[in-house]
């Protein structure tokens, strides 16, 4: 049973946020030309690794923590490339408890040079690397669909040009 429903670009059906904007960090993690996604426990959809940034963290610190919590991987700040911020008003998460959050997501890139040994956290049902073709067969959280597509369209420019953290 889903405890969260995601919305993006559907103003007629998106509930109005009743909580402050929520800052999150998600990662485009790649290995061998494929993208890592997690099958989420809370919505049974696939999404990028990441989550909420704590009040005392920078978005980069939050991303490093989330990668460790969700995958068991230790990464250094210099391994992450800040790619883009997705923060349009219609990116919303509505939870069973009635809280509705507008999501502002800072996306980081992490390109792995060898196949990682991953640990599945309690937040995930499954972890898997996907090619662009394979993504057509799964349901990706609507709040991550455009981020994933942007990466596949622009990946060569993104990882050749490092942006500041």
């Amino acid at each position: 049973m889903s405890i969260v429903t995601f919305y993006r670009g559907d103003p007629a059906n998106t509930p109005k946020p009743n909580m402050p904007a929520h800052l999150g960090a998600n990662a485009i993690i790649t290995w061998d030309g494929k993208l890592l996604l997690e099958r989420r426990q809370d919505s049974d959809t696939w999404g990028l690794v990441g989550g909420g940034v704590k009040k005392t963290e920078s978005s980069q610190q939050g991303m490093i923590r989330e990668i460790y919590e969700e995958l068991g991987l230790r990464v250094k700040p210099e391994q992450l490339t800040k790619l883009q911020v997705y923060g349009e008003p219609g990116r919303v998460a509505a939870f069973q408890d009635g809280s509705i959050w507008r999501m502002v997501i800072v996306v980081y890139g992490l390109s792995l040079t060898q196949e990682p040994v991953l640990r599945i956290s309690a937040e995930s049902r499954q972890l898997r690397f996907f090619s662009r073709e394979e993504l057509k067969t799964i349901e990706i959280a609507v709040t991550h669909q455009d981020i994933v597509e942007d990466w596949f369209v622009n990946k060569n420019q993104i990882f050749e040009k490092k942006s500041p953290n």
Side-chain angles (χ1 to χ4, degrees):
M1 180 177 181
S2 179
I3 64 167
V4 63
T5 303
F6 298 106
Y7 300 88
R8 186 183 60 81
D10 185 9
N13 294 308
T14 301
K16 184 178 177 183
N18 57 18
M19 303 298 284
H22 176 73
L23 179 62
N26 288 102
I28 297 284
I29 300 173
T30 61
W31 172 73
D32 196 29
K34 294 184 177 185
L35 176 65
L36 179 65
L37 295 178
E38 66 173 340
R39 188 169 171 203
R40 302 173 57 102
Q41 283 281 10
D42 61 5
S43 64
D44 201 29
T45 57
W46 289 88
L48 298 168
V49 169
V53 175
K54 295 179 180 180
K55 292 178 184 180
T56 59
E57 294 177 319
S58 68
S59 60
Q60 184 184 59
Q61 290 167 331
M63 188 72 266
I64 290 168
R65 176 184 48 77
E66 288 286 343
I67 289 170
Y68 179 71
E69 288 176 359
E70 295 186 16
L71 305 176
L73 293 180
R74 296 261 187 216
V75 297
K76 297 176 182 169
E78 59 271 16
Q79 291 177 273
L80 295 176
T81 301
K82 188 180 204 177
L83 301 178
Q84 190 167 338
V85 176
Y86 290 79
E88 69 280 3
R91 194 177 297 271
V92 170
F95 292 86
Q96 267 185 341
D97 68 2
S99 60
I100 304 168
W101 301 82
R102 173 185 172 188
M103 299 167 63
V104 178
I105 301 171
V106 181
V107 179
Y108 288 89
L110 173 62
S111 182
L112 301 172
T113 57
Q114 59 187 22
E115 184 174 10
V117 175
L118 303 174
R119 178 195 73 216
I120 296 177
S121 76
E123 295 179 24
S124 303
R125 294 175 189 249
Q126 188 178 359
L127 297 167
R128 185 172 156 211
F129 285 93
F130 289 91
S131 69
R132 189 172 188 180
E133 273 303 305
E134 292 169 321
L135 290 175
K136 295 175 184 177
T137 65
I138 62 170
E139 182 183 357
I140 299 174
V142 70
T143 51
H144 291 174
Q145 288 173 354
D146 58 331
I147 300 169
V148 169
E149 184 60 24
D150 287 352
W151 178 78
F152 274 107
V153 169
N154 300 307
K155 66 182 174 183
N156 292 332
Q157 296 91 5
I158 287 172
F159 285 112
E160 287 173 8
K161 180 183 124 188
K162 297 266 185 184
S163 60
N165 294 323

